[in-house]
Amino acid sequence: MSKTSTSGADVHRLDRQAARQPAYREHACSYDQRTGAFQSYRRAIIEALPVSRGQVVLDVGSGTGLCCGLLREKVGAQGGVVGIEESPEMAAVARERIAGEGWRNVTVVESPAEDAEIPVTADAALFCAVHDILQSPDALRNVMTKLRPGARVAAGGGKWAARWMVGVNLQARMLHAPYVRSFEGFDRPWSHLEQLIEDVHVRELALGSGYIVTGQAPQPPS
Ligand SMILES: C[S@@+](CC[C@H](N)C(=O)[O-])C[C@H]1O[C@@H](n2cnc3c(N)ncnc32)[C@H](O)[C@@H]1O
């Protein structure tokens, strides 16, 4: 008689999949149109990530690949961009973009970041508009194991402004609600990440309703 068992990790994965935002299922095709206006923020976050030609960068929660082209511009044709994306629908749009652009050095690993098998040791990692991933210590730990010591890290997205900025926060809620599973941690979205990186710098944008955080993977003691 065959016996099936479900591990704790499986249960967590099923929970995560069940909780996946409809924005990433039914609306994967309209995601670019709905969030295209934020391309200048994406550009600012990517500008804060010091990667150079020939290097390999992880685009964690790569979605439809809106950051991939900007990252590719930085690493050039000799470098590489590896997206990590759990939504098959979002990953499919990204793959179409990659094929359409003929980017041979851009790939997408379709998997939750928590257990993604990342086939490289990367020089940098980008976390752009991925609040849910930043709230997952397991995802962050898995990504960090695939970064070389001293690898650069940049994260950016939405956050709560000061409490008294009620209008700004109302707008932030409306803007981000379709794209976050929970607003838990939205006052300081990088709180888990900052425990795993060094030289942490935080810059607030948009009256405090946005941020860019940079840092680097720990270096071994010399
Ligand atoms: C708001 S979108 C951002 C996409 C892209 N970075 C951008 O700038 O447009 C968040 C993406 O993170 C993905 N995501 C959320 N949780 C994830 C996880 N645990 N592992 C991998 N991808 C995840 C979602 O499927 C979605 O495509």
Side-chain angles (χ1 to χ4, degrees):
M1 195 172 73
S2 71
K3 187 175 146 212
T4 54
S5 69
T6 307
S7 70
D10 290 339
V11 169
H12 278 119
R13 178 198 278 256
L14 291 171
D15 278 354
R16 283 200 304 268
Q17 283 173 350
R20 193 155 12 101
Q21 289 290 298
Y24 305 134
R25 279 198 306 262
E26 291 99 44
H27 305 304
C29 291
S30 57
Y31 178 83
D32 289 8
Q33 196 193 345
R34 292 164 58 148
T35 72
F38 299 108
Q39 201 62 3
S40 60
Y41 283 102
R42 291 188 180 92
R43 195 177 286 278
I45 300 163
I46 291 165
E47 271 170 12
L49 183 66
V51 276
S52 42
R53 299 216 157 262
Q55 292 195 316
V56 175
V57 57
L58 304 180
D59 181 3
V60 188
S62 45
T64 61
L66 285 174
C67 295
C68 290
L70 296 173
L71 289 171
R72 190 179 180 278
E73 276 171 23
K74 293 190 93 163
V75 300
Q78 305 308 317
V81 179
V82 180
I84 302 163
E85 173 54 50
E86 75 171 3
S87 157
E89 295 83 358
M90 297 290 270
V93 177
R95 289 198 182 105
E96 257 175 55
R97 182 192 307 283
I98 292 164
E101 298 284 352
W103 293 331
R104 297 164 71 99
N105 56 341
V106 182
T107 54
V108 178
V109 175
E110 189 182 305
S111 166
E114 286 78 356
D115 38 35
E117 289 179 17
I118 303 163
V120 288
T121 299
D123 301 294
L126 173 77
F127 297 84
C128 179
V130 289
H131 183 71
D132 295 330
I133 297 178
L134 290 175
Q135 301 317 300
S136 167
D138 286 349
L140 297 178
R141 268 194 297 271
N142 188 34
V143 171
M144 292 304 294
T145 63
K146 287 301 178 181
L147 297 183
R148 67 163 171 78
R152 301 306 184 108
V153 175
K159 65 180 274 294
W160 295 137
R163 270 171 180 255
W164 57 269
M165 300 192 80
V166 179
V168 173
N169 284 329
L170 212 67
Q171 231 182 353
R173 179 177 288 278
M174 277 165 39
L175 202 63
H176 295 287
Y179 306 112
V180 301
R181 286 192 192 105
S182 149
F183 280 98
E184 204 177 313
F186 212 66
D187 49 344
R188 196 175 168 82
W190 57 91
S191 65
H192 296 290
L193 182 64
E194 72 182 338
Q195 294 171 36
L196 302 174
I197 58 177
E198 294 175 346
D199 295 335
V200 179
H201 291 272
V202 181
R203 179 153 59 99
E204 296 206 344
L205 312 168
L207 302 174
S209 66
Y211 69 94
I212 296 177
V213 169
T214 55
Q216 55 182 301
Q219 304 263 16
S222 52

